[in-house]
């Protein structure tokens, strides 16, 4: 057994700290391999990073993948994934895996929900916000959430216990407690009630996780992360971090923490800092659903260890790709005769072998491989960016790297502002 691994096969070891901040390097040990942090984890929502084979995901530098419990519960069903030997075996990914609890997906069905919004878009506050022309597809009560499948309209119910059962059947190395994900439009009094509900659900998740870990002791250990809510309120965020790190249900505690909820972009760093100031240093912290370059720097600096987001692959499928000088759209006519890689400094498979002109043609011709090649590049760019942050914390040059990268990546935005 690895010297850094305890009896469960899961362990976190902190490495180097970032001077003057909460950022740090570290290693997460799981039964399916180690994750050097900080790290970006590509999302394979339905047990597939859309358009890209697992071999390519590994080759582009990803250390783990994250799938979604809500989607896999509906299709193909967690019992199918369990019979296949768990998520990793099912999708032929041999490294560490995560599943998120499904709370965000079931609760954001039908509401005008954005993970990160700018504060200037915040004009009203109500607990009955529903996106225009959309039927509300989820209803929450103190015991759980009833929701309508987006696939066939059938009714389903998630409780903390059901989420744990589904995630144990899916078998990922790191799973998340079921939480109520509020929107930034909810009132303060609703956020308070919701936070207490999430705390009670966290206790129930620990109990059910303990029960399932015992009865499924022939399966690899799964680490459970508690999810911290509290919206934009400092007292609620700090309370959430203190409460969930103190929970102990007959010896079962959280193995790590998910920093969750909708966030104002402008307050992202502050909220991550509030949480990480309260959290124990010997457990890893995952910032859920964050993947923009500037947000990743802010997250790393303030103490988040791992990140996931659908943005790099989703944007790639719309022909938007990252370069050191910002995002560009390969479908623009100016790229039809650009016989050079997307980014001359990039070492990914796509940039080593293909030109912008060819990719531009593939997108216009609607060839499937267009999405594949663009996704490989974007995931490599974001995974590589967080890996460079890790290396620069080690070498003591994080802040220089940050200034240089952001200055160049967002230079065009500054000119426009
Ligand atoms: Zn590339």
């Amino acid at each position: 057994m690895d010297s850094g691994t305890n009896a469960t096969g899961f362990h976190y070891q902190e490495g180097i700290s970032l001077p003057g901040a909460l950022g740090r390097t570290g290693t997460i040990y799981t039964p399916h391999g180690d994750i050097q942090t900080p790290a970006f984890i590509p999302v394979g929502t339905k047990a597939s990073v859309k358009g890209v084979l697992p071999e390519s995901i590994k080759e582009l530098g990803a250390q783990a993948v994250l799938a979604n419990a809500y989607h896999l519960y509906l299709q193909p069903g967690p019992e199918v994934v369990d019979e296949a030997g768990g998520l990793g075996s099912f999708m032929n990914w041999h490294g560490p895996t995560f599943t998120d609890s499904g709370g965000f997906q079931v609760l954001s069905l039908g509401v005008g929900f954005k993970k990160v919004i700018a504060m200037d878009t915040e004009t009203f506050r109500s607990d009955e916000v529903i996106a225009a022309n959309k039927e509300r597809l989820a209803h929450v009560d103190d015991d759980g959430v009833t929701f309508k499948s987006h696939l066939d309209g059938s009714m389903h119910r998630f409780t903390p216990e059901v989420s744990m059962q589904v995630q144990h059947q899916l078998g990922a190395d790191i799973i998340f407690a079921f939480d109520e994900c509020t929107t930034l439009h909810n009132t303060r009094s609703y956020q308070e009630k919701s936070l207490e509900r999430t705390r009670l659900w966290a206790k129930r998740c620990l109990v059910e996780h303990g029960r399932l870990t015992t009865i499924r002791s022939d399966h690899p250990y799964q680490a459970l992360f508690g999810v911290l809510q509290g919206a934009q309120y400092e007292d609620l965020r700090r309370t959430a971090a203190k409460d969930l790190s103190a929970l102990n249900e007959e010896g079962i505690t959280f193995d790590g923490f998910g920093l969750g909820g909708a966030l104002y972009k402008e307050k992202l760093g502050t909220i991550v800092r509030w949480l990480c100031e309260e959290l124990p240093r010997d457990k890893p912290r995952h910032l859920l659903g964050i993947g923009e370059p500037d947000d990743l720097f802010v997250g790393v600096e303030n103490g988040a260890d791992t990140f996931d987001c659908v943005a790099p692959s989703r944007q790639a499928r719309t022909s938007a790709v990252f370069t050191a000088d910002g995002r560009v759209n390969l479908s623009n006519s100016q790229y039809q005769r650009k016989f050079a890689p997307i980014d001359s400094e990039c070492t990914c498979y796509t940039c080593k072998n293909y030109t912008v002109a060819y990719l531009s043609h593939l997108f216009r011709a609607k060839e499937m491989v267009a999405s594949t090649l663009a996704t490989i590049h974007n995931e490599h760019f974001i995974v590589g960016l967080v890996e460079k942050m890790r290396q620069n914390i080690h070498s003591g040059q994080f802040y220089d790297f940050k200034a240089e990268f952001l200055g160049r990546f967002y230079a065009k935005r500054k000119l426009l502002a």
Side-chain angles (χ1 to χ4, degrees):
M1 185 176 281
D2 190 297
S3 59
T5 309
N6 68 13
T8 64
F10 183 87
H11 180 66
Y12 172 74
Q13 181 67 52
E14 191 175 65
I16 308 265
S17 296
L18 182 60
L22 294 161
R24 61 197 189 157
T25 66
T27 307
I28 301 170
Y29 299 89
T30 84
H32 290 92
D34 307 339
I35 305 169
Q36 303 298 325
T37 64
F40 181 80
I41 314 300
V43 177
T45 303
K46 302 179 185 177
S48 157
V49 179
K50 290 189 199 313
V52 183
L53 296 172
E55 290 83 349
S56 301
I57 294 296
K58 187 170 192 326
E59 190 191 309
L60 66 82
Q63 302 180 69
V65 295
L66 181 145
N68 181 257
Y70 160 78
H71 287 277
L72 294 175
Y73 159 80
L74 290 177
Q75 187 182 54
E79 60 288 345
V80 174
V81 179
D82 196 14
E83 276 179 48
L87 177 63
S89 299
F90 187 50
M91 66 180 287
N92 190 35
W93 170 262
H94 302 294
T97 49
F98 296 58
T99 48
D100 61 8
S101 69
F104 177 80
Q105 279 73 21
V106 301
L107 283 156
S108 57
L109 285 170
V111 297
F113 204 107
K114 272 192 169 175
K115 175 75 192 175
V116 180
I117 67 172
M119 291 174 92
D120 58 14
T121 63
E122 170 71 342
T123 52
F124 62 100
R125 214 173 282 295
S126 161
D127 294 328
E128 294 301 323
V129 173
I130 302 175
N133 306 319
K134 277 200 170 181
E135 175 197 1
R136 188 167 194 130
L137 297 174
H139 292 275
V140 61
D141 57 63
D142 284 339
D143 186 52
V145 183
T146 300
F147 60 97
K148 198 181 252 189
S149 162
H150 74 287
L151 295 176
D152 61 8
S154 57
M155 296 306 293
H156 299 267
R157 188 162 171 80
F158 263 27
T159 62
E161 290 77 17
V162 169
S163 176
M164 288 299 98
Q165 289 154 15
V166 167
Q167 291 190 81
H168 270 261
Q169 285 182 300
L170 296 174
D173 295 299
I174 294 171
I175 66 178
F176 287 90
F178 192 63
D179 60 314
E180 181 182 7
C181 193
T182 56
T183 79
L184 291 170
H185 302 297
N186 286 115
T187 57
R188 159 89 196 195
S189 70
Y190 189 90
Q191 302 286 8
E192 287 172 13
K193 271 182 242 156
S194 171
L195 197 66
E196 175 60 8
R197 180 182 277 158
T198 288
R199 190 184 70 84
L200 295 172
W201 286 4
K203 284 165 71 85
R204 287 166 58 185
C205 285
L206 283 172
V207 171
E208 183 65 3
H209 172 64
R211 187 183 77 81
L212 293 166
T213 301
T214 301
I215 63 172
R216 292 170 61 93
S217 59
D218 53 333
H219 290 72
Y221 181 76
Q222 296 178 265
L224 176 60
F225 284 24
V227 179
L228 308 171
Q229 295 286 343
Q232 66 272 41
Y233 302 107
E234 179 171 4
D235 57 335
L236 299 187
R237 285 285 180 179
R238 289 190 186 275
T239 298
K242 276 187 257 192
D243 283 354
L244 264 61
S245 32
L247 283 185
N248 183 331
E249 297 295 314
E250 296 175 18
I252 312 291
T253 58
F254 286 118
D255 297 297
F257 298 92
L259 318 182
L263 299 155
Y264 290 118
K265 190 175 177 76
E266 294 86 343
K267 290 196 86 168
L268 175 65
T270 308
I271 291 170
V272 172
R273 179 172 58 77
W274 293 336
L275 292 170
C276 291
E277 281 175 353
E278 304 296 341
L279 289 171
R281 294 202 71 115
D282 62 351
K283 292 187 175 177
R285 307 137 180 183
H286 180 87
L287 183 51
L288 286 149
I290 297 294
E292 280 300 305
D294 53 348
D295 296 336
L296 291 167
F297 275 101
V298 161
V300 165
E301 194 170 331
N302 288 286
D305 300 308
T306 50
F307 304 83
D308 76 275
C309 194
V310 294
S313 55
R314 182 173 287 169
Q315 291 173 6
R317 294 195 300 279
T318 67
S319 69
V321 292
F322 297 109
T323 78
D325 296 304
R327 210 182 321 258
V328 299
N329 196 310
L330 295 171
S331 298
N332 289 351
S333 55
Q334 68 194 92
Y335 297 122
Q336 274 185 288
R337 284 190 169 76
K338 187 178 177 189
F339 299 104
I342 298 170
D343 187 331
S344 58
E345 294 157 42
C346 182
T347 57
C348 85
Y349 169 80
T350 302
C351 291
K352 275 191 287 189
N353 294 290
Y354 299 96
T355 64
V356 167
Y358 180 64
L359 294 164
S360 183
H361 156 68
L362 292 177
F363 272 107
R364 287 154 179 276
K366 299 191 166 31
E367 287 292 326
M368 286 191 289
V369 78
S371 292
T372 300
L373 293 171
T375 302
I376 288 172
H377 169 79
N378 273 6
E379 293 285 4
H380 177 269
F381 188 93
I382 296 295
V383 166
L385 175 61
V386 180
E387 167 62 19
K388 283 178 201 156
M389 293 183 207
R390 189 182 73 79
Q391 291 167 2
N392 279 288
I393 294 174
H394 265 285
S395 65
Q397 294 168 307
F398 177 84
Y399 294 109
D400 292 340
F401 174 64
K402 178 186 171 187
E404 185 191 334
F405 179 91
L406 293 179
R408 197 171 157 191
F409 189 84
Y410 293 108
K412 280 182 200 153
R413 186 196 283 179
K414 279 187 198 123
L415 287 174
L416 291 170

